[in-house]
Amino acid sequence: MLDVRRLRLLRELARRGTIAAVAEALAFSPSAVSQQLGVLEREAGLPLLERTGRRVRLTPAGEDLVRHAEAVLERLEQAEADLAGARSGLAGALRVGSFPTATRAIVPAALVTLARRHPRLEPMISETDPAAVAHALRAGDLDVALVHEYDFVPAQREPGLTTEPLYGEAMFLAAPAAPAAPAAPAAPAAPAGTPQEAGRDQGAVLRTHAETPWITATPGTLCHAMTVRACQAAGFTPRVRHQVDEFATVLALVAAGQGVAVVPQLGITGADHAVGLTRLLMERRTQLAFRSGAGAHPAVAAFGAALRAAVPPELASPRAEA
């Protein structure tokens, strides 16, 4: 009989690529991971791994077993959800991953609703970059998480995970506000800090700042990739001066004349009067992510319902995938 814990290790090896990465993620020693995978091979009765120097890759039989492991783990999540639904009332810890703007603007109201409806449930929030969520969910470090994607950085399908749409946000180019124009018969310009429309040619708006210093998120984040790819689609590579993840700090640097940046709708709250905002044609879409099969778990479902009730009405429904 195949051991489900060893199947989980094989699945993690398929996703993470090295035994060392699996060991670090699951708090095992590399030798323990290797030993357990060796036992799994003996249980299976044929080789599952090919070792080439220090690296390991799955054999065709190993890849096939990973597909079965995904189905087995999903059914186990469904079983846990059914058992939780049979109990009376929700209680215990719910480990939630969230990114900073959602943590500030959406999550607090959701927690208030959740506490009122399920006072014995204990949600535990951890700020987690969306790029790290898949591993954290599969490793069991999180039960549910908020993730996002951009038009220029679409989410990759993650085996073993399911997502549900929550809301969409407009994106804005933040630049130092232009000096006030002298009085003229024409209608006055909108005050600084008031979003303006980019019109149809987003690329032209971005190219205006092709020679301007840019402020991006740190490399490896989806936000950083979004800015770089949007600029490249407009025909240039941004000259990055500052790398900052917190949007409030990004806007403060823009106000100080340190560069320009692309910021989502929830990130422009309280923008300084010295920052000019131009709405772009891009969008950021936020989803709720959880392990496949866990969507019916009462705690996950309750948190999702509380989040949807907390989404501000000015946020758009996320666009459907093409």
Side-chain angles (χ1 to χ4, degrees), residues 213-238:
W214 281 76
I215 305 163
T216 70
T218 52
T221 61
L222 301 182
C223 297
H224 177 270
M226 170 271 300
T227 297
V228 171
R229 292 181 188 179
C231 291
Q232 289 174 339
F236 69 98
T237 297

Side-chain angles (χ1 to χ4, degrees), residues 7-19 22 37 40-41 47-52 55-67 69-70:
L7 289 176
R8 192 184 300 273
L9 289 175
L10 186 69
R11 191 269 302 270
E12 286 304 307
L13 180 61
R15 301 292 162 249
R16 298 177 187 268
T18 67
I19 287 175
V22 174
L37 290 174
L40 181 62
E41 284 188 308
L48 303 175
L49 308 174
E50 292 178 348
R51 293 168 176 82
T52 55
R55 298 194 63 83
V56 176
R57 65 180 181 181
L58 272 63
T59 64
E63 293 174 351
D64 189 49
L65 187 55
V66 166
R67 287 189 288 271
E70 296 286 6

Side-chain angles (χ1 to χ4, degrees), residues 230-248:
C231 291
Q232 289 174 339
F236 69 98
T237 297
R239 180 166 58 88
V240 178
R241 174 179 289 178
H242 303 296
Q243 296 177 343
V244 178
D245 288 325
E246 184 187 48
F247 289 120

Side-chain angles (χ1 to χ4, degrees), residues 71-82:
V72 168
L73 293 170
E74 181 173 348
R75 288 302 299 269
L76 286 175
E77 291 289 345
Q78 292 171 351
E80 288 188 14
D82 288 346

